Each structure stands twice: as structure tokens, then as C-alpha cells.
Amino acid sequence: MTDLATVLRANGRRLTPQRRRIVEALAGLGHATPDAVAAQVGADGGASVPLSTIYRGLEALEALGVVSHTHLDHRAPTYHLTGHADHVHLVCRACGRIDEVPASAATEFVAQISASRGFAADVTHMAVHGVCAECRS
Amino acid sequence: MTDLATVLRANGRRLTPQRRRIVEALAGLGHATPDAVAAQVGADGGASVPLSTIYRGLEALEALGVVSHTHLDHRAPTYHLTGHADHVHLVCRACGRIDEVPASAATEFVAQISASRGFAADVTHMAVHGVCAECRS
DNA sequence: TTGAATGCAAAAAATTTGCATATTG
DNA sequence: CAATATGCAAATTTTTTGCATTCAA
């Protein structure tokens, strides 16, 4: 936790209560859109934080590698703590359900494109679309 | 081409000149955002087509499986013809470059999650983020 | 102190929707 | 002719920006 302050300060940034709350919200939610983060932050009892601050906070934290985001579905960037367990998201195109599988399932795939293209893939929180088991039947 | 009309009619939809131009635009561009499609459609000499029609057209075509979309970067759904060569996009987080590798590179990966979760992944045009060869050095 | 961050409010983008009119099948 | 699509304009939604004020370091 104090680590957060360290990372920010090391880059001339500051740890404000708002940012601390953004991180806490993400820790509790796992994944969340800026909107959802705002809602969660507002739900912790304290004063609500304007969306603009949420956006700027997430942006600052992402620049420092504390959080990152992916696009699980249509229009919604979902943020998560970088430390959050690495996994790939399986997004069902039919029912919308989102399942997860450990990122290790893609190890081979990652190695392959690294070898063939020199591309260092980061499959953490990668979104894979398709149809889930239930919807297939 | 006439096939397009068939698919639409088979579902009670209609082939309008606008939709034909949308498909032509995609064929020429490969991938494109709704905005880019509109620009291309407008560049073909004919009258410009309002964005709302582009959106509705893409939606209708996607529902019939003629086109589909993915999110390559931050805020931009990119559409492409379903028939367009299957490949996975390698999006460089550093320079923004987008490279492609055949979808077959993910065969093993797809098989794995199918076996473990019964999830039928469609990696066509899947976006994989990371750092490209040049930016790594 | 002093520059970074917040809060608001207003501006931009990006989509979506209502509806009268035009068109396709 | 009947139902689907288009065009436009207006309404939403989502994200960004300007700025005076507050606050962390």
C-alpha cells in the first residue's frame, strides 16, 4: 500500500486520497469500467469523486504501470490492478458471460509469435470472444 | 456480390445501395472504424452517407454474419468483412503498429480452452497487445 | 512554497434514436 | 402495397478540457 505512494512519488506524482480510493475500488472489484469505479468509490462512504478525476487518476496510474485496461466487450474499457491475477477472459458472444482461464493457457501461443515475429505479447487480461459451453448446446 | 443480396433477403432484409457501398468500402480498406467507412464511402464519388446509416448498416450486416468487429485499440471498433483473411492482430503498445499473424498460430490455444472449458473461441481478428520487435530493442 | 491534482462546468466525441419520407421486394 | 431503410436532427453516452482552488510533498 505504501508502495503505491512510493511509485507515484518516484515519478513526481502524488498519492491523493482519491487515487488511493480508486485503487481500493479496483482491488475490490477486480475489473471495472471508469463508471463502475466511480460508483464503487462513491459507495465507500466517502464523498463521491467526479468522473473526470477518475479518468485522470486511472490514466496516471496506468502510465506508471499500476493499473491497465482491456476491452472486454463493445464499448467499455475495463481497468484492473496490474497485480491482479493474470488471466485471459473468455467472452461469450451469445450470453455475454465472462469466464476466465489462467494466462498460462496461452504460453505456447505467446512463444510462437515471439519466435516468428519477435513480438512480446502480453496476454494478461486479453479478451477472447466466442461461445461458452452452455450456449453451444 | 449478388450473394450479398441473397443473404440479406433470406432474412427479410434489403440490399440498398448504401449497404452495398459499405461492403465495398470494407473490401477496399480491410479494417475500418465506422468513421473511416463513412469517409471511404463518401470518397467513392457518390453522395455521402450519414453516420447513422453506416452504424445501422454495419449492425445489420454484422447480425447476418457478413461483417464483424473487434477492438484493436483504445476507443475504436474496427469492422471487417467476415470473409476477410483470418488473422490475429498484434498491437504494439509502444508505437501503435498493428501487425498480423495467421489465426492458425492460435490453434493450440483454442484447442486448449475448448478442452478445459468447452468454450468455442473465435480468434479471428483477435487483438493481442504487447511490444513489437522494433520497440523491444 | 509550488507544482500536481481536484472539482465543476462546459466542450468534444462517439453512438443511438425518433420520425417523416423514400425504397426495396 | 407493406415493411424495411434512409436522412436529418435531436438526444444520449462517454471522455476530454479549461481553470480557479486545494493540497501533497
Side-chain angles (χ1 to χ4, degrees):
Chain A
M1 309 303 126
T2 306
D3 193 30
L4 178 59
T6 305
V7 177
L8 284 164
R9 288 172 195 151
N11 291 71
R13 290 288 131 81
R14 295 168 184 176
L15 175 56
T16 63
Q18 289 82 339
R19 290 179 177 176
R20 197 200 312 280
R21 294 211 282 158
I22 287 174
V23 171
E24 285 167 359
L26 280 180
L29 295 170
H31 304 88
T33 59
D35 194 59
V37 171
Q40 178 67 18
V41 165
D44 73 357
S48 73
V49 174
L51 245 354
S52 62
T53 296
I54 300 287
Y55 275 102
R56 286 191 278 222
L58 287 171
E59 179 184 33
L61 293 168
E62 183 162 40
L64 298 183
V66 177
V67 308
S68 59
H69 80 274
T70 26
H71 293 274
L72 297 186
D73 49 29
H74 216 350
R75 182 169 75 224
T78 62
Y79 287 80
H80 57 264
L81 297 181
T82 300
H84 191 233
D86 287 2
H87 52 239
V88 168
H89 295 274
L90 304 183
V91 185
C92 180
R93 157 157 42 230
C95 66
R97 249 184 69 114
I98 295 177
D99 201 356
E100 305 178 349
V101 291
S104 59
T107 303
E108 193 119 13
F109 173 62
V110 172
Q112 196 164 329
I113 61 179
S114 173
S116 65
R117 303 302 177 92
F119 188 90
D122 170 16
V123 298
T124 298
H125 302 278
M126 171 173 75
V128 179
H129 295 264
V131 184
C132 73
E134 281 93 74
C135 293
R136 288 174 76 177
S137 42
Chain B
M1 305 303 128
T2 307
D3 192 31
L4 179 58
T6 305
V7 177
L8 285 164
R9 288 172 195 151
N11 291 72
R13 289 290 127 84
R14 294 168 184 177
L15 176 55
T16 63
Q18 290 83 338
R19 289 179 178 176
R20 197 198 313 279
R21 295 210 282 157
I22 287 174
V23 171
E24 284 166 1
L26 280 180
L29 295 170
H31 303 88
T33 59
D35 193 58
V37 171
Q40 177 69 16
V41 165
D44 72 358
S48 73
V49 174
L51 243 357
S52 61
T53 295
I54 299 288
Y55 275 103
R56 286 190 279 219
L58 287 172
E59 180 184 33
L61 293 167
E62 183 162 39
L64 298 182
V66 176
V67 308
S68 60
H69 80 274
T70 25
H71 292 274
L72 296 186
D73 49 26
H74 215 349
R75 180 169 76 223
T78 62
Y79 287 81
H80 57 264
L81 296 181
T82 301
H84 192 233
D86 286 3
H87 51 238
V88 167
H89 295 275
L90 303 182
V91 185
C92 180
R93 159 153 45 227
C95 66
R97 250 184 69 111
I98 295 177
D99 201 357
E100 305 177 350
V101 291
S104 59
T107 302
E108 190 119 16
F109 173 62
V110 172
Q112 196 163 331
I113 61 179
S114 172
S116 65
R117 303 302 178 92
F119 188 89
D122 170 15
V123 299
T124 300
H125 302 278
M126 171 173 74
V128 178
H129 295 264
V131 185
C132 73
E134 282 91 76
C135 292
R136 288 173 76 177
S137 42

